Amino acid sequence: MKIAGNYTFAASRDEVWAALNDPEVLARTIPGCQRLEQVGENEYESTLKIGLQAVRGVYSGRVKIDNIQAPESYEIHVDGKGSNGFLKGSGSITLREENGQTILDYGGEAHVGGTIASVGQRLLDGAAKTLIAQSLKALAAQIEARRAGNAAPEPVAAPAPEPVAAPAPEPAAAPTPAPAAAPEPAEATAFRRTIHVPAGEGLSEVDVALGVVEDFLKERPWVPWVIVAFLLGYLLGQRRSG
């Protein structure tokens, strides 16, 4: 399965690049993301719950980013699996500026296997395009929120209370020190970071469905008028027959 396309952001290339490299932003723009964990330098593990009928299911996988040319491009490698199959793929993302906007070009190839492979090429292509389009729309909304200053404020620590003098304790026998725990290897903890997406903050299956309807109506603004005309014709016909 091959995918390719582009998306235009009303933002600078530096703004788009910063958002693409922020795990907090990505966790909220990946469709159905429930958990995103950084496990290495530019390497992540995630759990996704996808609601589209063609690819419905819960998936877990690992994403590796390399060949980074900031703020212009990088390559991405994906290895995922779920109860209905597996996916292995690679691709690239490139950013270019035109007329004060940033165009993101993406392309890649994926290999699927298992039950999901029996869905059919057309349905898989349609599901992939839908998920990518809604993810990029969510990314644009996150960038706009950043520009508007709507990001969540940093927590402010409460002032420490004034120290109160306490009576000197009676001397006690020194406790026997416990054996120190062996420290974890530095390479195992240097990049460890887990992001859990709270309900209502991520790109849910409902958001994806509403986004698909919105895009459909935007491309075909005449559809609501056809529906209204059909309903009026039906109601008038019922009235006359009554």
Side-chain angles (χ1 to χ4, degrees), residues 13-242:
R13 185 166 66 171
D14 287 339
E15 288 176 305
V16 178
W17 180 264
L20 284 171
N21 288 274
D22 186 338
E24 291 283 351
V25 171
L26 292 180
R28 286 160 173 77
T29 58
I30 298 174
C33 182
Q34 298 178 324
R35 176 188 65 90
L36 182 67
E37 183 173 2
Q38 186 171 8
V39 295
E41 186 175 10
N42 302 316
E43 192 167 3
Y44 303 88
E45 290 182 351
S46 63
T47 302
L48 313 178
K49 183 179 180 182
I50 306 299
L52 285 180
Q53 189 62 42
V55 292
R56 184 183 298 274
V58 177
Y59 301 86
S60 61
R62 178 169 290 216
V63 177
K64 174 72 175 178
I65 297 172
D66 61 12
N67 196 19
I68 301 171
Q69 306 292 327
E72 182 179 350
S73 65
Y74 61 71
E75 294 179 357
I76 184 169
H77 306 277
V78 180
D79 188 351
K81 62 181 179 178
S83 57
N84 56 353
F86 66 87
L87 177 146
K88 292 180 181 290
S90 61
S92 62
I93 288 177
T94 303
L95 301 179
R96 51 190 172 93
E97 286 187 321
E98 286 187 10
N99 302 321
Q101 297 180 317
T102 300
I103 300 174
L104 183 151
D105 297 300
Y106 62 87
E109 185 173 351
H111 301 276
V112 297
T115 308
I116 192 173
S118 64
V119 170
Q121 183 72 33
R122 183 175 297 178
L123 289 177
L124 286 177
D125 287 347
K129 289 177 181 178
T130 295
L131 294 175
I132 292 172
Q134 299 310 311
S135 179
L136 293 174
K137 282 179 61 178
L139 180 62
Q142 288 283 326
I143 294 173
E144 185 61 30
R146 280 185 164 194
R147 300 185 81 187
N150 292 335
E154 293 290 331
V156 180
E162 292 288 335
V164 179
E170 296 183 5
T176 304
E184 293 187 38
E187 60 271 16
T189 59
F191 300 101
R192 183 68 63 174
R193 178 186 180 189
T194 303
I195 300 169
H196 294 280
V197 183
E201 292 189 16
L203 186 60
S204 69
E205 48 193 86
V206 174
D207 295 325
V208 171
L210 292 176
V212 171
V213 173
E214 179 184 352
D215 290 345
F216 180 84
L217 294 178
K218 187 178 295 183
E219 294 174 0
R220 303 168 180 83
W222 44 266
V223 169
W225 297 106
V226 172
I227 296 174
V228 170
F230 174 80
L231 289 176
L232 285 175
Y234 175 78
L235 293 175
L236 289 174
Q238 289 290 99
R239 184 176 179 181
R240 289 176 181 174
S241 61

